[in-house]
Amino acid sequence: MSVTFITKMLNIHKLSISFQGDYLFENISFRLKGGDRVGLIGKNGAGKSTLLKIIAGELDFDEGQVAEEKEIKLGFLKQDIDFTYGRSILEEAYEAFTEIKQLETKLTFINEQLAERTDYESEAYNQLMIDVNDVQHQYEIIGGYNYQGETEKILQGLGFHRNDFSKLTDTFSGGWRMRIELAKLLLQKNDILLLDEPTNHLDIESIIWLESFLKNYAGAVVIVSHDKMFLDNITNRTIEISLGKIYDYPKPYTEYLVLRAELKTLQLASQKNQQKQIEQTEKLIEKFRAKASKATMAQSLIKKLDKIDRIEVDQDDNSVMSVNFPVSVVPGKVVIDIQNVSKHYDELQVLNNVNLQVERNSKIAFVGQNGQGKSTLAKIIVGDLSHDGYIKLGHNVQIGYFAQNQAEYLDGSKTVLDTMIDAANETNRSKVRDILGSFLFRGEEVDKYVRVLSGGERNRLALAKLLLQPLNVLVMDEPTNHLDITSKNVLKDALMKFSGTLILVSHDRDFLQGLNNKIYEFKDQRIKEYLGDIDFFLEQRNLENLREAEKREVHKKTETKSDNKQSYKNQKKLKSLNNKLSKVESEISQLEKEIKDIDIELAVNYDVTVSDPKFFEIYERKKNNLTKLMAEWELIQESLEELL
């Protein structure tokens, strides 16, 4: 039986915010409730991140209100995070449990007092005994004895290994730190999750795990993402910010595109009709102005024209990147020969005796969990890292390299134009402005300083720089991070047309589909070849995961046989808990129905309903009983999970 949760809601009512006198959005309203999985979309600069910051309480707004229910818990995953140095991964993840940690501190203090004091008969000592019982009870209720296991489960789901848990966060990259922050949010059991590009630093397996987690999430989720597949797999609602307004569709991303196209057709028709009326009115005004006897009528028409709420239609931005990676010269048949390549960072072995031969015109993808050596091998290939083993580039090979953090290497004190001119040579310096134009840097855009560019604009600039060097082999490490959906599609088309050799490190399934004919999975310091595309790889990996799950199941069965008595006790307890669960669920359903009926009565006939002097007492009692039952349901579920 499924239980319908009555969850907390958040209302956005007639919200407006302006910058330098211009409204970013005006009078927007919508509601978030449990079970909502919202894809928040819009053009770059439309206000998506701004809206998330407002909901999170990190940014003030001009007008309207954000009305949230009492004690609503909200988690916000931002692009930029601040970490306290010196904590291990586990210690940082445990920061999610503020209340539990406070109770642990209190318990430690009380137990120290009990151990040190000898006034056993005193009132103060007796009070300490009462306090320790109260705190322990509260600690148990809020999950104090379960949070450590839950933390480990979430961290492993996001790609961490057990031997990583004791390592300091200082030693991990920004991507891995982002995962820790995401883990903390998932552990907090927030009523609302705000996720800004959560997949940017996740590998495919972790994305699949996150999808599964969010699908079963009881609260509301609002996601800003450029990953179409991720949005389609998770969301059941799409909110678009366009021209200062919002459009709310009860559909995932791809289905929203169909509805949006239909709406846009209607909007354009209405706009056309309105424009005809405006033109006719303007002609009448000009006609009447010429006659003194009609001057009053002309003024009346002018006022009428001023009051018209003009229909605006957000046109698709057809100014997209025009990317073309020309092949400089034709290289030899084997472009890269890798033999027995190994790499370690101090104590950490990343690659061990890796062998790989890359042939001309291959389209290869490196996939696997972060930290398994994908970016490391890419850097070795382009000569950026020392290594053990043998690597040889073939005849006439000219490599172009796009690093994962390429944008960070750009000089913020330079303009866009200066950045390109400094990277150009005598033969292509005259083409710099044309290249920039094809990457959407036009007119005054080229005079912008790099430091004020968005993440997507920096990535575009880094891609533009690639065209200034001769190449026939492209090595690209996460080139789609921060690119909007349109730019990603343009880049994908360009890479599909590229007649040279491509080595692509990416976690973006949608981007990889149809782009590669060979996949190399990085795992346990080695690589495994899959002769197919990304869909073939995922199919194969799912089979492998199933086999691994079967092995674990066999292990569990062996352990169970060794203790039949314990198994019998567990079965009895399991049966008892399931009976309790059914009873509680039945009571919850009945109460929810009763409360719903009351809510309908209130809406239809408020005055008569509240005239009963005992109405609010009964109403509150039912709601309190429901809250208690829900808490009981959660405790039973936790007990069941421990047994299963």
Side-chain angles (χ1 to χ4, degrees):
M1 173 184 172
S2 63
V3 178
T4 303
F5 290 90
I6 292 188
T7 49
K8 297 170 183 175
M9 288 187 291
L10 182 140
N11 290 302
I12 309 295
H13 185 64
K14 293 190 174 182
L15 193 73
S16 301
I17 186 169
S18 61
F19 293 100
Q20 298 177 340
D22 295 324
Y23 278 106
L24 187 61
F25 40 76
E26 187 177 10
N27 288 331
I28 65 169
S29 300
F30 61 93
R31 175 182 291 180
L32 292 174
K33 63 183 186 304
D36 281 343
R37 291 167 185 76
V38 180
L40 183 62
I41 65 165
K43 293 178 182 177
N44 286 341
K48 302 185 295 294
S49 294
T50 300
L51 183 55
L52 289 187
K53 288 175 182 175
I54 288 172
I55 296 172
E58 294 193 357
L59 190 65
D60 293 330
F61 47 91
D62 299 334
E63 300 165 13
Q65 62 181 143
V66 179
E68 54 184 57
E69 291 194 5
K70 193 178 178 182
E71 295 181 358
I72 197 167
K73 290 178 70 178
L74 192 146
F76 183 23
L77 181 71
K78 297 177 284 189
Q79 286 292 321
D80 302 313
I81 53 174
D82 295 319
F83 260 85
T84 302
Y85 291 96
R87 288 179 185 152
S88 71
I89 287 176
L90 266 184
E91 287 170 342
E92 184 63 45
Y94 289 159
E95 290 298 307
F97 304 98
T98 310
E99 190 177 357
I100 287 175
K101 299 301 287 183
Q102 286 172 349
L103 289 176
E104 282 183 345
T105 304
K106 195 178 287 186
L107 273 174
T108 302
F109 175 76
I110 295 171
N111 284 321
E112 285 174 354
Q113 290 289 302
L114 289 170
E116 291 170 4
R117 296 177 66 150
T118 56
D119 53 334
Y120 306 122
E121 304 300 324
S122 69
E123 184 65 32
Y125 194 89
N126 185 53
Q127 187 59 50
L128 284 172
M129 294 294 291
I130 295 169
D131 290 345
V132 77
N133 284 327
D134 289 345
V135 175
Q136 280 177 338
H137 181 64
Q138 193 180 350
Y139 185 76
E140 186 178 358
I141 287 173
I142 65 172
Y145 297 110
N146 302 322
Y147 80 95
Q148 293 176 335
E150 187 68 16
T151 302
E152 291 184 14
K153 187 167 73 175
I154 297 287
L155 286 172
Q156 286 177 310
L158 288 170
F160 290 96
H161 297 289
R162 281 188 177 277
N163 57 6
D164 294 327
F165 293 169
S166 59
K167 295 176 182 175
L168 296 179
T169 59
D170 315 27
T171 61
F172 285 82
S173 66
W176 281 101
R177 291 185 195 178
M178 188 70 77
R179 290 191 194 208
I180 301 167
E181 193 67 16
L182 178 58
K184 285 160 65 177
L185 292 181
L186 300 183
L187 286 162
Q188 285 168 350
K189 295 182 171 53
N190 293 289
D191 299 299
I192 297 174
L193 275 181
L194 308 174
L195 306 178
D196 195 356
E197 296 287 357
T199 64
N200 260 3
H201 300 285
L202 298 183
D203 52 63
I204 291 170
E205 290 184 6
S206 296
I207 290 172
I208 293 170
W209 180 89
L210 181 60
E211 284 179 354
S212 176
F213 185 97
L214 293 176
K215 282 176 186 175
N216 298 306
Y217 193 73
V221 184
V222 183
I223 304 164
V224 174
S225 178
H226 295 138
D227 188 333
K228 291 189 292 184
M229 191 173 291
F230 183 71
L231 290 173
D232 276 340
N233 287 345
I234 290 176
T235 61
N236 54 22
R237 183 178 169 193
T238 301
I239 294 178
E240 179 190 19
I241 304 177
S242 174
L243 296 175
K245 299 177 181 177
I246 64 162
Y247 298 90
D248 199 339
Y249 305 84
K251 300 287 183 182
Y253 180 77
T254 299
E255 293 180 48
Y256 135 79
L257 289 176
V258 177
L259 293 175
R260 180 179 175 271
E262 293 172 358
L263 176 65
K264 195 169 180 179
T265 302
L266 293 171
Q267 285 179 324
L268 286 168
S270 300
Q271 187 189 49
K272 192 175 179 181
N273 289 333
Q274 188 187 63
Q275 192 57 37
K276 282 182 181 178
Q277 292 174 2
I278 290 170
E279 286 171 2
Q280 288 172 355
T281 305
E282 286 173 341
K283 284 178 181 177
L284 283 172
I285 291 169
E286 288 301 314
K287 185 179 176 182
F288 291 156
R289 269 177 173 166
K291 299 178 181 179
S293 60
K294 301 286 186 179
T296 305
M297 192 173 291
Q299 287 300 314
S300 177
L301 287 171
I302 291 169
K303 286 178 182 177
K304 184 181 175 183
L305 201 61
D306 289 339
K307 289 178 181 177
I308 290 177
D309 187 11
R310 304 201 178 212
I311 298 168
E312 289 185 285
V313 183
D314 193 5
Q315 297 292 338
D316 288 330
D317 192 356
N318 295 317
S319 55
V320 296
M321 291 194 304
S322 175
V323 186
N324 182 30
F325 297 102
V327 173
S328 54
V329 292
V330 178
K333 186 180 179 182
V334 177
V335 294
I336 305 166
D337 187 21
I338 298 171
Q339 294 182 23
N340 299 322
V341 165
S342 298
K343 178 65 183 177
H344 61 87
Y345 299 95
D346 296 325
E347 303 283 321
L348 180 63
Q349 184 84 29
V350 180
L351 299 171
N352 186 23
N353 288 329
V354 169
N355 293 282
L356 174 62
Q357 196 172 76
V358 180
E359 294 186 349
R360 183 179 61 227
N361 301 338
S362 297
K363 297 288 190 293
I364 292 168
F366 289 173
V367 301
Q369 291 187 340
N370 284 3
Q372 295 292 325
K374 305 185 303 293
S375 297
T376 296
L377 188 57
K379 289 176 181 176
I380 288 171
I381 290 171
V382 300
D384 276 7
L385 275 181
S386 60
H387 58 90
D388 299 320
Y390 169 86
I391 183 166
K392 183 182 177 184
L393 300 183
H395 178 64
N396 277 341
V397 167
Q398 296 175 322
I399 295 182
Y401 177 49
F402 183 93
Q404 187 177 80
N405 57 343
Q406 189 76 48
E408 294 176 15
Y409 293 115
L410 299 172
D411 188 344
S413 64
K414 291 182 179 179
T415 65
V416 170
L417 183 61
D418 288 341
T419 299
M420 290 289 285
I421 288 174
D422 291 348
N425 54 42
E426 293 300 323
T427 59
N428 57 26
R429 193 164 283 128
S430 60
K431 300 177 183 177
V432 160
R433 284 187 178 270
D434 291 338
I435 293 171
L436 282 173
S438 68
F439 283 83
L440 306 183
F441 294 106
R442 296 163 186 160
E444 294 178 359
E445 294 283 314
V446 302
D447 296 321
K448 278 187 177 179
Y449 282 96
V450 171
R451 63 174 174 266
V452 303
L453 300 179
S454 68
E457 288 172 326
R458 289 187 182 210
N459 257 28
R460 282 195 270 119
L461 180 57
L463 285 168
K465 279 183 68 179
L466 267 182
L467 298 189
L468 296 173
Q469 65 181 100
L471 55 90
N472 47 34
V473 177
L474 256 177
V475 179
M476 308 189 85
D477 192 353
E478 302 288 6
T480 63
N481 280 358
H482 307 294
L483 288 184
D484 60 37
I485 290 171
T486 304
S487 297
K488 279 168 54 173
N489 290 338
V490 171
L491 178 60
K492 182 175 178 176
D493 288 341
L495 293 177
M496 290 181 78
K497 294 172 188 172
F498 178 54
S499 59
T501 305
L502 175 66
I503 298 174
L504 187 62
V505 181
S506 181
H507 67 265
D508 190 328
R509 292 161 296 165
D510 186 62
F511 185 72
L512 289 173
Q513 277 181 325
L515 186 53
N516 304 98
N517 52 29
K518 198 178 287 184
I519 307 290
Y520 287 96
E521 181 192 18
F522 286 65
K523 198 169 185 178
D524 300 328
Q525 305 170 13
R526 299 192 178 270
I527 62 173
K528 184 177 178 181
E529 184 181 69
Y530 295 82
L531 297 173
D533 62 6
I534 192 64
D535 290 331
F536 175 77
F537 162 74
L538 285 175
E539 185 183 324
Q540 296 297 306
R541 285 296 289 118
N542 283 336
L543 288 173
E544 285 184 16
N545 286 338
L546 281 174
R547 284 199 293 272
E548 290 169 7
E550 286 168 3
K551 289 176 185 174
R552 285 196 292 270
E553 188 62 34
V554 169
H555 182 62
K556 283 182 180 178
K557 285 177 181 176
T558 305
E559 290 178 348
T560 304
K561 283 179 183 178
S562 68
D563 196 349
N564 289 325
K565 190 181 283 186
Q566 185 63 34
S567 176
Y568 176 70
K569 285 182 180 177
N570 283 350
Q571 285 174 16
K572 276 189 73 177
K573 197 171 180 182
L574 197 65
K575 188 177 179 180
S576 172
L577 285 169
N578 276 319
N579 289 336
K580 282 183 183 177
L581 189 69
S582 295
K583 182 174 178 293
V584 170
E585 285 178 346
S586 176
E587 290 174 5
I588 287 172
S589 293
Q590 181 61 34
L591 266 175
E592 284 179 338
K593 185 179 180 301
E594 291 172 11
I595 291 170
K596 187 179 178 182
D597 290 343
I598 294 171
D599 287 337
I600 291 169
E601 281 296 315
L602 277 170
V604 174
N605 206 350
Y606 180 83
D607 291 335
V608 175
T609 306
V610 300
S611 63
D612 184 349
K614 292 185 178 180
F615 167 76
F616 283 110
E617 182 187 336
I618 295 167
Y619 189 42
E620 283 302 312
R621 191 189 308 139
K622 288 182 185 291
K623 288 175 74 175
N624 289 336
N625 288 342
L626 182 62
T627 302
K628 288 176 183 175
L629 283 169
M630 293 302 294
E632 188 179 346
W633 186 91
E634 286 183 17
L635 287 171
I636 296 170
Q637 280 284 26
E638 285 176 7
S639 300
L640 281 168
E641 285 173 11
E642 288 174 11
L643 288 173
L644 294 171

